[in-house]
Amino acid sequence: MNHIEKQLLTAPRNHLYLSFIAAIVIGLFLWSLTAVNVSNIEEGGLAIARNILYGLTHPDTELLFNVSRQSVLFLLAETLAIAFLGTIVGAFLAVPLAFLAASNLVPKPVSWITRLLLIMIRTLPALVYGLMFIRVTGPGPFAGVLTIGLTSIGMLAKLYVDAIEELDKRVLESMTSVGCSTLDKIRFGVMPQLLSVFASVMIYRFDMNMREASILGLVGAGGIGAPLIFAMRGYKWDQVGSILIGLVVLILIIELLSNQLRAKLVKG
């Protein structure tokens, strides 16, 4: 037994505190069980559940593999385009907001006001923004792109700010000593340190936006969400199965590729 293990074993334990936390967790778990209600499950509901399972395991292959505008492949391509373009828009708009929110680069009042704006942007869910943009632009992919772009700004700017505030200050101090302006410091001292971090964060957000874009179709903002909800409402579970299979495969591929790209960026 090494020295560290001996210290851990001899360290005092606050049993009262641990018991209190455990009691709270158990109490919350028991309270949450009151929301479980199996008395409303009838034979008809079980039959519907069997139909859902059968449809999901026997998908509509014609819908899955043809190349029409109503096919799963086309809808997935549209969803991918919405997520990609929305991520690009959000990533570029988040950069100036991140620099304005970085307390080590701008005065404190400017930083606080910008951070408050970013908090306000992050407050509303994507579906609410989607409904707003649909009223402005009408239903379709453009509303989805605007929604994804706006919802991406809040998260991306926050992560950008964290990266900016962790910069090597010695570089900025040396540039200040030779009389560099703020723009020069950002261009030559800050951006070279941040490009790989920004790209990694943007790829991570694109992975999230694929799921967001899939949901936005439910409110008419383009993508695969609308056909999915229409198929579910029409009890066409074979179409639901084909849509979900295509969506799961696409998201898995994107996640594998994004993880590899982010690992290369982080490792340099």
Side-chain angles (χ1 to χ4, degrees):
M1 184 179 297
N2 56 36
H3 180 66
I4 297 177
E5 291 177 343
K6 290 180 179 179
Q7 285 185 332
L8 291 174
L9 290 175
T10 56
R13 290 178 173 80
N14 193 339
H15 296 288
L16 181 61
Y17 173 76
L18 294 177
S19 300
F20 178 70
I21 296 298
I24 292 177
V25 173
I26 294 173
L28 290 174
F29 176 74
L30 295 176
W31 176 65
S32 64
L33 290 178
T34 59
V36 179
N37 186 6
V38 297
S39 61
N40 292 329
I41 299 178
E42 302 175 352
E43 186 175 351
L46 295 176
I48 293 175
R50 287 193 295 269
N51 292 334
I52 293 173
L53 182 61
Y54 181 82
L56 295 178
T57 54
H58 296 77
D60 185 349
T61 54
E62 182 179 355
L63 180 66
L64 185 59
F65 294 112
N66 68 46
V67 291
S68 66
R69 293 182 65 87
Q70 288 77 33
S71 68
V72 173
L73 293 177
F74 178 84
L75 294 171
L76 287 176
E78 184 179 71
T79 305
L80 180 64
I82 292 172
F84 179 77
L85 186 56
T87 304
I88 296 298
V89 171
F92 277 99
L93 293 179
V95 171
L97 291 174
F99 281 108
L100 290 174
S103 58
N104 59 335
L105 294 179
V106 299
K108 294 290 185 181
V110 177
S111 173
W112 292 339
I113 293 173
T114 308
R115 286 172 184 262
L116 180 60
L117 174 62
L118 294 176
I119 291 173
M120 293 172 61
I121 292 175
R122 292 197 303 269
T123 300
L124 296 180
L127 288 177
V128 175
Y129 285 122
L131 291 170
M132 291 179 181
F133 282 122
I134 285 172
R135 299 298 181 186
V136 177
T137 65
F142 185 52
V145 171
L146 294 178
T147 302
I148 293 296
L150 184 58
T151 55
S152 298
I153 290 174
M155 172 190 166
L156 289 174
K158 182 178 184 302
L159 296 178
Y160 288 173
V161 170
D162 293 339
I164 293 171
E165 291 183 341
E166 293 176 359
L167 287 172
D168 186 356
K169 296 181 180 179
R170 292 172 298 179
V171 176
L172 300 179
E173 292 173 354
S174 62
M175 295 184 71
T176 303
S177 64
V178 296
C180 292
S181 65
T182 302
L183 289 178
D184 289 335
K185 287 190 287 184
I186 291 175
R187 181 179 177 184
F188 299 107
V190 175
M191 291 307 298
Q193 300 183 59
L194 296 178
L195 285 177
S196 61
V197 179
F198 281 11
S200 176
V201 171
M202 184 176 66
I203 293 171
Y204 175 65
R205 181 63 202 188
F206 170 68
D207 191 10
M208 296 178 60
N209 283 342
M210 269 302 301
R211 297 163 178 80
E212 294 278 0
S214 304
I215 298 172
L216 286 176
L218 300 178
V219 296
I224 204 168
L228 177 60
I229 194 65
F230 290 151
M232 294 177 67
R233 288 176 178 174
Y235 301 103
K236 300 176 181 178
W237 301 115
D238 56 341
Q239 295 184 11
V240 174
S242 63
I243 292 173
L244 291 179
I245 288 173
L247 189 59
V248 168
V249 171
L250 179 61
I251 289 178
L252 286 175
I253 292 173
I254 291 174
E255 186 164 353
L256 290 174
L257 294 176
S258 64
N259 287 340
Q260 292 179 359
L261 288 173
R262 290 178 63 235
K264 289 182 180 180
L265 288 171
V266 171
K267 294 178 181 178

